Amino acid sequence: MIILIVIFIIFICWEIYETIYFRSEKFLTIKRRIESYVNNCNELNSHIESLKNTYLGINQLDYGQARYHDESRWNYKRPELKKQKYEPNIYNCSRTICDNARKQPFKYICKYFNIKATEESLSQFENVLNNFESAEQGKFLLKSEKENILNSIKNDIPTLIRVFGKKKLEKKLGFQSIDFSTTYFPRYTFKYVSSGGNASMQCDVVMDIENLNRFVNYLSETVKFKKSVAGQRSLMTSALRQKIMQRDNYTCKICGASTYVEPNLLLEIDHIVPVSKGGLTSEDNLRTLCWRCNRKKGAKIEYPYSSQNISPVENNNT
Ligand SMILES: [Zn+2]
């Protein structure tokens, strides 16, 4: 009992100490000093969140709506049927399909989730891969940048606050929390439920970075490319991203920012002529941009060609 009272008193004292500290002029001065860095982190954080929302424009057919009544008298015996879900990313199927989907997931995803092996869907998945990979890298760079900022004010913050109130300290300094979960990766589910509702089997295919890379390769082998494109096109995979960054010496081609100066800078790969305007995923149409420049560019609807662009858009009047 006494121990409990002591713990309670310590807790109350700690709360009071924290409250007084976070209101003190000393803390507010530190907060103001690093404000612009914190804002920069938060901006990157919301950029990462927007990358995660990259639209997968497939499987958007409107199949209509129907009414359904289950009037059977033996409902109570069907636990698996009760759990049955009907969502666009779930395909309720026979046991055989579920089993086959486990062995050849990509083939069955294409067939039952209506993903056609076309250049358009390939480009979409490449775009998703490119953005998700930036998001995944961004999360860890952001974490590291946040640690750097916290480290720089380490000596000005009381040890007790730093050690026992780290989460609250970050919040009070204005840092948004970073979402490290990977639940945003698209998931395709094949689900079999027996007609009696007592047995079920499920096959989940999560399109994480590794599977997206493999899926892009899979699609590219099935796509029949137009003659003008065949042979000129590369695949936007993790390997190509890495190659382009290396070629550009890890430097943004617009503002010149580089990871040599800013080790935690998030670099992204950009299509100089956008895919939507007929730009190819080829090495000469790709360049490295820092996330800030890429974000600014993405915000523009019309992209003006500049002199540094690749040859196909230059005119021959000269
Ligand atoms: Zn830049």
Side-chain angles (χ1 to χ4, degrees):
M1 191 61 192
I2 292 172
I3 295 173
L4 276 180
I5 292 170
V6 170
I7 291 175
F8 183 70
I9 291 171
I10 293 175
F11 176 75
I12 294 291
C13 290
W14 172 251
E15 285 290 309
I16 293 171
Y17 171 63
E18 263 193 335
T19 312
I20 292 174
Y21 177 72
F22 286 130
R23 283 182 189 170
S24 68
E25 193 49 43
K26 202 176 167 199
F27 174 74
L28 294 175
T29 311
I30 298 169
K31 189 178 169 175
R32 276 193 292 272
R33 202 172 79 211
I34 61 166
E35 198 180 3
S36 64
Y37 299 103
V38 174
N39 288 344
N40 193 39
C41 280
N42 290 342
E43 207 180 311
L44 176 56
N45 207 354
S46 53
H47 174 64
I48 290 169
E49 289 307 310
S50 68
L51 288 174
K52 291 180 187 174
N53 286 326
T54 307
Y55 177 59
L56 243 179
I58 48 154
N59 197 24
Q60 296 298 315
L61 285 177
D62 180 4
Y63 290 105
Q65 212 176 3
R67 286 186 187 193
Y68 174 75
H69 300 279
D70 185 352
E71 272 146 15
S72 55
R73 294 167 59 195
W74 293 282
N75 262 344
Y76 62 92
K77 269 194 108 175
R78 304 172 171 184
E80 295 301 336
L81 275 184
K82 277 185 194 155
K83 283 191 269 169
Q84 189 88 309
K85 279 184 191 161
Y86 297 91
E87 283 167 18
N89 58 333
I90 299 177
Y91 187 76
N92 292 296
C93 59
S94 72
R95 194 182 180 101
T96 318
I97 291 176
C98 196
D99 205 35
N100 286 341
R102 185 179 63 171
K103 290 169 199 149
Q104 296 179 316
F106 294 160
K107 185 175 157 186
Y108 279 77
I109 285 176
C110 286
K111 189 168 174 189
Y112 291 101
F113 290 95
N114 201 29
I115 299 171
K116 302 216 165 59
T118 59
E119 281 176 45
E120 287 72 31
S121 54
L122 175 61
S123 293
Q124 267 174 355
F125 274 95
E126 285 179 299
N127 183 37
V128 166
L129 169 59
N130 192 21
N131 287 355
F132 284 3
E133 195 158 19
S134 287
E136 286 302 294
Q137 285 168 351
K139 290 193 299 199
F140 293 97
L141 293 171
L142 178 57
K143 182 174 181 239
S144 159
E145 184 64 15
K146 194 162 138 182
E147 294 296 329
N148 275 357
I149 295 172
L150 288 171
N151 243 336
S152 73
I153 55 168
K154 176 169 92 181
N155 296 331
D156 304 326
I157 306 275
T159 318
L160 276 178
I161 295 278
R162 240 184 330 111
V163 176
F164 297 108
K166 192 164 179 255
K167 269 238 161 87
K168 197 160 181 181
L169 171 65
E170 289 177 9
K171 210 177 150 193
K172 289 284 177 189
L173 286 169
F175 284 108
Q176 283 165 6
S177 61
I178 311 168
D179 182 4
F180 278 93
S181 74
T182 51
T183 45
Y184 72 94
F185 289 133
R187 174 191 299 262
Y188 295 101
T189 299
F190 294 87
K191 191 163 170 76
Y192 157 74
V193 177
S194 67
S195 49
N198 288 321
S200 89
M201 194 161 117
Q202 186 168 326
C203 170
D204 289 312
V205 189
V206 177
M207 286 296 192
D208 55 11
I209 302 294
E210 197 207 327
N211 250 348
L212 279 169
N213 268 300
R214 291 169 68 172
F215 191 62
V216 162
N217 273 303
Y218 173 82
L219 272 185
S220 77
E221 277 167 28
T222 343
V223 172
K224 289 190 181 69
F225 290 104
K226 290 186 207 100
K227 264 190 187 151
S228 58
V229 172
Q232 293 181 45
R233 197 190 191 286
S234 319
L235 286 180
M236 181 63 114
T237 56
S238 302
L240 183 64
R241 282 171 53 90
Q242 198 50 39
K243 192 175 172 190
I244 300 294
M245 285 189 204
Q246 206 167 8
R247 180 199 71 191
D248 293 343
N249 200 21
Y250 302 97
T251 303
C252 172
K253 294 297 247 180
I254 291 182
C255 74
S258 81
T259 51
Y260 300 107
V261 183
E262 291 179 69
N264 295 322
L265 179 67
L266 174 63
L267 292 172
E268 300 184 335
I269 302 297
D270 169 56
H271 283 84
I272 299 172
V273 180
V275 176
S276 60
K277 298 212 170 111
L280 281 185
T281 298
S282 58
E283 286 183 32
D284 54 1
N285 190 37
L286 294 174
R287 63 177 170 178
T288 307
L289 292 187
C290 73
W291 68 274
R292 296 182 207 105
C293 290
N294 203 17
R295 196 169 153 99
K296 267 183 229 149
K297 189 199 153 180
K300 286 178 201 159
I301 297 164
E302 204 65 40
Y303 176 65
Y305 291 124
S306 65
S307 56
Q308 62 184 37
N309 278 348
I310 55 165
S311 52
V313 293
E314 282 173 5
N315 57 45
N316 303 321
N317 295 346
T318 45

